[in-house]
Every structure is written in structure tokens, then in C-alpha cells.
């Protein structure tokens, strides 16, 4: 049984003190966890605490040491066994002393990022079932795709599986699995759909919807499953998977993303031949919903001509997924990804393939949570390629986003700064938030330093790296994320106090962020826009829990943005971390400044001075310990209680894809069920408007709001938006 560690004085909870506490007590865990190399861990943490050169100047040595700490554990061995053999060999070579530069694979398509363990587990299950059902295997070839053999057809019928064809000639059957358990990536949603289909053609989707209509089944889609809210399918309904195991484990050559007769129709990128009239720096691009962010990043960097102006950091997401729930990036001049949509193609509730480009109707259709139908393609407006000029920094937390009053800083983090230093920090924060093309701030729990990543963009390519990060760095990022997942799921980690868990992950996290080598390497980075937007390539390897709110930045009374609201939200969250001795937030507090939105159901809509997109992240262990939900409620109360300069409550709203359903919303004293608050207050006018526009679309296409809800709702969304 793991030893009991005394409660800590909140006034002492900073990285230096926690590391000292760990060094004092770690040896007591050796008997219960003999597979964990406590000696290496103790030596490593001591070097980190003393800021020895081997840890400040050699990030690879730190990563290697952490891998050695856990390499004899069962969770490490199991996780390693799940990797492809080539990556297993790379990990072993790295642990044995080789540098990342020596172990990475270089080829014509660049370093291939493997799917995260959680994603690979899900799709391996589908692939195993595929082998059992003998579907899609063997038989003659038809248009470059494996045909359905007569034997496979007989097996499908014998097992009671529906046969839905992907082509009018009825030579190809759609992949389908019965009663396959579903879990989202964040492990906050689980169910068992009656059938899971994996379509690859528009024709197949139309036939699938017709089948669903004939059986009165609901249809919902999923890609990499990176949403936390209840946006997926349900028990005994139909789940459409936009990907299969082959697609998530194979990085295609960019030429295979071009539309051809043999290509997966839902995974194509088609650039318009000409720029928009009167806008030579704008061009439309038609993208299949199964295209991933990694697909598009590689395509954009290779052609070096056109780019999305904004995107989420994750590369392990599909275009269909990020569009459906109105995802966003950062920068006050930038709106949501849904605001870039100029045309939507989808299959409606009658199984008819439709195209929609009316700007007024796109305000609903470009962010409709899958309620309009199964989207097949999205046409977005791209910008001419630009280049990010990044200069990430790691300032003291007190100066990164300075508090309104120094007394707002928890005692453990307080340092002595002059009024002039605070004033300079305030001016720097406001400049970055107001003017930089991209702007985000991170704070790892209990750390003295923050991480600030705000940057400008230029059309001048001179001095830009061909690609960023380079192959060895991508590999390091991927393994750092993988190691984080290994640590966070180990029995040893679960036995540690929450503050120790946070410290371990923060140590790895801060070392993994530039600038490196004691702040001397990657202090200035110029690279193509897509690489800057996706500068982290391994964060998907560690499952997290995540609650994110969109806070309007109000007028300060003089017509200017009131940045004090952002400071209050930031420091309120830090204070709540220190108020709870169980450390429910064991990862990060993150802030991104962004613009408003014209999408009807966007939580950023109406925020004329911009939006503070702020979120708290933790480990699944905090949920298991029963601490996460209560913390989310307290954070929600603090952010929902914010008011403008005149005392008027702000219309603070959660990100639709993150965790919010289990908290109550509203200012203190007015809290109610989250769905009720959003329907009756936050979106009181928007929901009827959304329903009206969806109704107008249906009226022109031969269906009703009720019919599309019955086919594409999941109970939750139907109740939320269509009733």
C-alpha cells in the first residue's frame, strides 16, 4: 500500500518546493512499485530542481531518463507493444543512448506520425471485427478497391449485417460492424451503436442514409473522436466512422489526396483553379470530410502557395469533425473555422446529396453539429501562404498576464517586482492580445513560469524554414506525448498525491516547449503558416479532460477592449487551483485570444472586441479521484460571474465540444442545469434563429426540421436545438 504523504501548505506549493517534497518521500514508494526505477527518478528530479546543465541544456537526456524510469513497468511494455515495430525499435535505440537525429526515419514523405494509442486501439478493434466478418477482403478488384466476394456477401447475410453498396454497379460493399463498443478519445462518452459504417463514396453515404430511413435509425458521424461532449451516436443507432485503421495508420503521399477515379471520395483536396474575383490572395478549396489536419498541413506545406489562416493545434482531427462543432484557433483578427466555409455538401434525411452555398444559410449549415445530414465535402476560403515569425518565451507567471493587483497572486508564486515592471508587463500583454496574429498563454499547475506563444505573420518567405518542426523534433514531440500517456496511466502515478502528478507532467511539458537549451535554441522560428498552427505533433498521445469557455471581451467604457476581464478570468482559475489541496487541475490552464463569429450557434458570436477562449485541462486520474467535476463547477462559477465595467453579466458560453453538460451554468445564485441555461439565456435568440434557418433550408429541399432531427439527432442535440 502506497505511503500517506502529509497535506501541503498552499503557501509553499511551487515547483521548487514540490520537487523537494518528492525527493524526501519518493523512496517510500519503492517497495510497492519495484518496476519503477526510483533511483533514476530521484536523480533526475534532483538535477531538475538544482537546474543542472544536463537537464537545462539536454532535453533529450531528460526524456531518455524518464523513459528509463518506467521501462520495466507493465504499462510501459504494453504501450510499447502497441506501437509499430519500426517505432518500437526507435524507442529502444533512443533509450539505449542514440540521439533523436539518429533514430528517426527519413523518407520522401517525411517523418510519419503514428496515430495516438487511444485512436489506434479503437480502430484496431474495428479491423479485428473486419477480419472476423471477412468483409472487404479478397475478391476481384473494382476501380482500385477490393470488391465484395460472393462468399463475403454470404457471410454478411448469415451474420445479419446490412449490405450497403458504395457504387451504383453494386461491386463494392461498405465496411460495417455490428454492436461495436464506442468510446470517445477523452473517455467521457461511451455507447454501443447498432451498426458502425465506414463509407468512402458519396454514393455510399446516400445509400446508407436511405437504409437508415427504412429502418428508422439515427445517423451520427465521428472521426478521431476528440470531442468530450455528447455529440456522437447512441446505443442501437448508426455511427458513421470517417476513418478506418488503414487511414489512421497511413500518412498518404500528397498526390493521393487529389481527386481521381480510384481515390477515397471523402478524403480529397481540390484547389480552385483561380483566385476569388478582386481578391488575388484568396482562393477556394474543396476538402473531403475525412481529410485530416495532418493531410492538409502536408499538402499546404508541399505546395507552399495556400493555407488556412487559422486552425486547431491538433493534427489528429478530421475536417468534418472540427467544422461540425465550430472549432477555432487563436488571434483577435481570426474567427472560427466555420466562418471560413463557403459551401457545404451533404446527404439529407431523404438520402439526397445536396450542395449549399447561400451565405445566409451557411450561418447555420457551417456549424450545425451534424443535424443537417452527413456532410461529405466542405469548401473553405484559403489565404495566400504566409510565414509565422514565432518567438516563444517562458516569463515569470506574475508577468506573463499580470494580475490587476499583486495581492491576487497566491503566496507560493509571489515574487518582488517593481511597479514599472508590472506596467511594462501589462503593456506587453495588451499588445500581444490586441495586435499579434496568433496569441496563446499556458500555465502548468504550480509552475513559477508560464509559456507565451504569440506571433506575427509575413508574406516574406526569406529565412523561413522549409518545414517546422524538423523530423527529429517531431519524433521527440510524439514520444514526449506517448511518455505522458504511459506515466498518467501507471499505477505508480495514480498512487502519487495530485500535486506530485501535476509536477511530473509540468516538468515534462515545460521542457518540451521552445525555447530549448536554457532558452538559447528556437528563440526565433520562421516557418510556413500551417507548421506554426500545428507546432505540436504529439499532444494527442495523452488523454486529458478539458473544460473550455468563451468569454466576451467587453468595452472598457471608452470604446476599447477591457483586458481586465481576461486578467480576472486567468487569475481566478489560478486561485481556485490553490484553494483545492487535491489538485484537480493537473495539467494546464490555457488562454487564446480570438475574434468574434458570424455563425449562429458560435459561442464567440457578438463579441465585437474579441473573445478570451480559456480552458482547464487535467488527467483522467483526477476524474477517477472524484475531484474534477467539483473543480469544473467552481471554475464555471468564477467565469460565469464576470461582468463588464457597468456590472452587466457577460454572455460567457462553453465550447460545444468540451466538457460542460455536468455543471450548472449561470452567475452565483442563478445557477441552473447547463442545457436549460444555454436554451433560456445564452442562446435565447440564437436557437430559434438556427431552427428557422434550418427550416428554410429544408423547405427548399423537401424535408422538415422534425425529419432531419429524427434522422441525424442523438436525443441530446435534438432536444437542445430542434425542439
Amino acid at each position: 500500500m502506497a505511503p500517506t504523504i502529509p497535506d501541503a501548505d498552499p503557501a509553499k506549493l511551487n515547483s521548487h518546493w514540490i520537487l523537494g517534497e518528492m525527493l524526501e518521500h519518493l523512496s517510500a514508494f519503492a517497495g510497492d512499485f519495484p518496476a519503477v526505477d526510483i533511483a533514476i527518478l530521484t536523480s533526475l528530479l534532483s538535477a531538475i530542481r538544482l537546474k543542472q546543465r544536463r537537464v537545462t541544456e539536454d532535453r533529450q537526456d531528460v526524456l531518455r531518463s524518464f523513459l528509463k524510469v518506467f521501462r520495466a513497468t507493465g504499462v510501459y511494455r504494453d504501450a510499447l507493444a502497441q506501437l509499430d515495430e519500426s517505432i518500437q525499435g526507435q524507442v529502444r535505440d533512443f533509450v539505449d543512448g542514440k540521439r533523436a537525429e539518429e533514430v528517426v526515419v527519413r523518407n520522401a514523405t517525411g517523418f510519419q506520425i503514428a496515430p495516438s494509442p487511444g485512436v489506434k486501439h479503437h480502430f484496431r478493434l474495428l479491423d479485428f471485427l473486419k477480419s472476423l466478418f471477412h468483409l472487404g477482403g479478397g475478391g476481384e478488384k473494382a476501380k482500385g478497391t477490393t470488391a465484395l466476394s460472393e462468399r463475403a456477401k454470404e457471410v454478411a447475410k448469415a451474420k445479419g449485417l446490412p449490405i450497403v453498396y458504395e457504387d451504383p454497379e453494386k461491386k463494392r460493399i461498405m465496411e460495417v460492424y455490428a454492436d461495436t463498443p464506442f468510446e470517445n478519445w477523452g473517455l467521457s462518452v461511451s455507447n454501443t451503436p447498432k451498426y458502425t459504417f465506414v463509407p468512402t463514396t458519396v454514393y455510399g453515404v446516400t445509400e446508407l442514409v436511405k437504409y437508415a430511413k427504412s429502418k428508422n435509425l439515427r445517423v451520427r458521424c465521428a472521426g478521431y473522436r476528440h470531442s468530450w461532449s455528447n455529440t456522437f451516436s447512441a446505443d442501437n443507432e448508426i455511427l458513421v466512422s470517417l476513418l478506418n485503421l488503414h487511414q489512421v495508420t497511413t500518412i498518404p503521399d500528397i498526390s493521393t489526396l487529389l481527386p481521381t477515379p480510384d481515390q477515397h471520395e471523402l478524403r480529397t483536396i481540390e484547389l480552385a483553379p483561380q483566385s476569388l474575383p478582386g481578391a488575388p490572395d484568396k482562393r477556394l478549396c474543396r476538402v473531403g470530410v475525412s481529410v485530416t489536419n495532418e493531410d492538409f498541413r502536408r499538402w499546404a506545406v508541399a505546395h507552399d502557395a495556400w493555407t488556412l489562416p487559422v486552425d486547431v493545434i491538433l493534427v489528429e482531427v478530421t475536417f468534418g469533425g472540427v467544422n461540425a462543432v465550430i472549432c477555432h484557433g487563436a488571434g483577435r483578427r481570426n474567427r472560427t473555422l466555420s466562418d471560413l466555409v463557403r459551401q457545404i455538401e451533404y446527404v439529407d434525411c431523404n438520402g439526397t446529396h445536396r450542395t449549399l452555398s447561400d451565405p445566409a444559410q451557411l450561418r447555420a449549415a457551417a456549424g450545425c453539429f451534424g443535424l443537417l445530414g452527413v456532410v461529405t465535402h466542405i469548401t473553405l476560403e484559403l489565404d495566400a501562404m504566409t510565414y509565422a515569425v514565432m518567438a516563444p518565451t517562458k516569463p515569470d507567471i506574475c508577468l506573463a498576464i499580470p494580475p490587476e493587483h499583486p495581492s491576487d497572486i497566491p503566496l507560493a508564486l509571489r515574487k518582488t517586482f517593481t511597479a514599472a515592471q508590472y506596467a511594462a508587463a501589462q503593456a506587453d500583454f495588451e499588445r500581444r492580445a490586441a495586435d499579434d496574429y496568433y496569441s496563446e498563454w499556458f500555465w502548468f499547475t504550480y509552475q513559477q513560469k508560464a509559456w507565451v506563444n504569440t506571433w506575427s505573420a509575413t508574406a516574406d518567405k526569406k529565412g523561413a524554414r522549409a518545414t517546422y518542426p524538423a523530423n527529429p523534433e517531431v519524433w521527440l514531440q510524439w514520444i514526449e506525448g506517448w511518455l505522458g500517456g504511459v506515466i498518467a496511466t501507471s499505477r505508480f502515478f495514480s498512487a502519487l498525491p495530485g500535486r506530485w502528478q501535476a509536477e511530473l507532467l509540468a516538468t515534462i511539458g515545460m521542457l518540451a516547449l521552445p525555447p530549448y537549451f536554457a532558452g538559447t535554441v528556437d528563440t526565433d522560428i520562421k516557418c510556413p503558416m500551417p507548421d506554426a498552427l500545428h507546432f505540436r505533433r504529439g499532444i494527442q498521445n495523452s488523454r486529458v479532460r478539458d473544460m473550455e469557455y468563451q468569454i466576451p471581451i467587453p468595452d472598457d467604457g471608452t470604446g476599447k477592449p477591457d483586458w481586465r476581464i481576461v486578467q480576472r478570468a486567468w487569475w481566478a482559475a489560478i486561485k481556485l487551483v490553490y484553494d483545492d489541496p487535491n489538485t484537480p487541475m493537473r495539467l494546464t490552464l490555457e488562454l487564446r485570444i480570438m475574434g468574434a463569429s458570424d455563425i449562429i450557434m458560435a459561442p464567440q458570436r457578438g463579441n465585437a472586441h474579441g473573445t478570451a477562449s480559456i480552458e482547464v485541462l487535467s488527467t483522467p486520474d483526477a476524474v477517477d479521484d472524484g475531484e474534477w467535476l467539483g473543480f469544473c463547477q467552481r471554475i464555471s462559477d468564477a467565469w460565469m460571474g464576470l461582468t463588464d465595467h457597468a456590472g452587466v453579466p457577460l454572455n460567457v458560453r462553453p465550447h460545444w465540444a468540451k466538457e460542460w453538460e455536468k455543471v450548472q451554468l449561470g452567475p452565483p445564485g442563478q445557477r441552473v442545469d447547463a442545457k436549460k441555461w444555454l436554451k433560456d439565456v445564452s442562446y435565447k435568440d440564437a436557437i430559434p434563429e438556427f431552427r428557422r434557418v434550418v427550416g428554410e433550408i429544408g423547405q427548399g429541399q423537401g424535408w422538415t426540421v422534425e425529419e432531419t432531427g429524427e434522422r441525424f439527432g442523438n436525443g441530446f442535440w435534438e432536444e437542445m436545438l430542434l425542439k
Side-chain angles (χ1 to χ4, degrees), residues 443-460:
W443 178 65
F444 287 87
T445 304
Y446 300 135
Q447 300 306 292
Q448 190 63 52
K449 291 184 178 293
W451 186 70
V452 180
N453 181 38
T454 76
W455 43 265
S456 59
T458 177
D460 182 9

Side-chain angles (χ1 to χ4, degrees), residues 552-563:
I553 299 170
D555 187 307
D556 68 353
T558 68
K560 297 178 180 179
D562 191 348
W563 299 112

Side-chain angles (χ1 to χ4, degrees), residues 565-638:
I565 290 297
V566 182
Q567 295 167 269
R568 291 170 191 166
W570 178 260
W571 284 98
I574 294 176
K575 179 181 183 300
L576 286 170
V577 168
Y578 274 87
D579 285 346
D580 194 324
N582 294 313
T583 319
M585 191 190 88
R586 298 174 189 173
L587 279 170
T588 52
L589 168 66
E590 301 181 9
L591 167 73
R592 293 171 183 87
I593 301 297
M594 62 170 299
S597 175
D598 290 326
I599 301 300
I600 293 174
M601 293 306 302
Q604 299 87 356
R605 189 184 182 200
N607 299 348
H609 290 287
T611 305
S613 177
I614 188 167
E615 59 189 316
V616 288
L617 293 88
S618 195
T619 63
D621 196 65
V623 180
D624 296 339
D625 291 346
E627 297 154 0
W628 175 241
L629 182 58
F631 177 73
C632 287
Q633 184 64 67
R634 294 189 292 275
I635 286 285
S636 179
D637 291 345

Side-chain angles (χ1 to χ4, degrees), residues 200-210 265-266 268 270 286-289 343-356 372-379 697 700-701 703 712:
T200 62
T201 67
V202 172
Y203 179 88
V205 176
T206 63
E207 292 298 293
L208 169 56
V209 173
K210 291 174 184 176
E265 283 187 57
L266 309 183
T268 58
E270 301 175 62
R286 180 175 181 259
V287 182
V289 289
Q343 181 172 281
I344 288 280
E345 298 169 53
Y346 64 99
V347 176
D348 69 16
C349 57
N350 295 317
T352 303
H353 192 233
R354 304 286 190 178
T355 299
L356 188 67
L372 207 60
V374 179
V375 175
T376 63
H377 295 84
I378 304 168
T379 298
I697 295 171
Q701 298 183 351
W703 48 264
F712 301 115

Side-chain angles (χ1 to χ4, degrees), residues 371-413:
L371 293 172
L372 207 60
V374 179
V375 175
T376 63
H377 295 84
I378 304 168
T379 298
L380 300 111
E381 183 176 295
L382 305 185
D383 284 359
M385 181 62 73
T386 53
Y387 304 88
V389 183
M390 304 171 68
T393 63
K394 296 178 180 178
D396 191 279
I397 183 62
C398 304
L399 302 180
I401 299 178
E404 283 192 276
H405 310 287
S407 59
D408 295 338
I409 303 170
L411 288 173
L413 298 176

Side-chain angles (χ1 to χ4, degrees), residues 46-84:
S46 177
I48 291 171
R49 188 171 188 256
L50 297 174
K51 297 181 173 59
Q52 294 177 355
R53 289 185 62 184
R54 81 176 182 97
V55 294
T56 61
E57 298 186 10
D58 193 348
R59 164 172 159 241
Q60 293 195 32
D61 183 63
V62 175
L63 176 58
R64 183 179 296 109
S65 296
F66 269 118
L67 290 166
K68 288 180 178 179
V69 169
F70 292 94
R71 66 176 169 178
T73 63
V75 66
Y76 181 100
R77 293 196 303 268
D78 290 345
L80 188 66
Q82 293 298 313
L83 301 179
D84 292 339

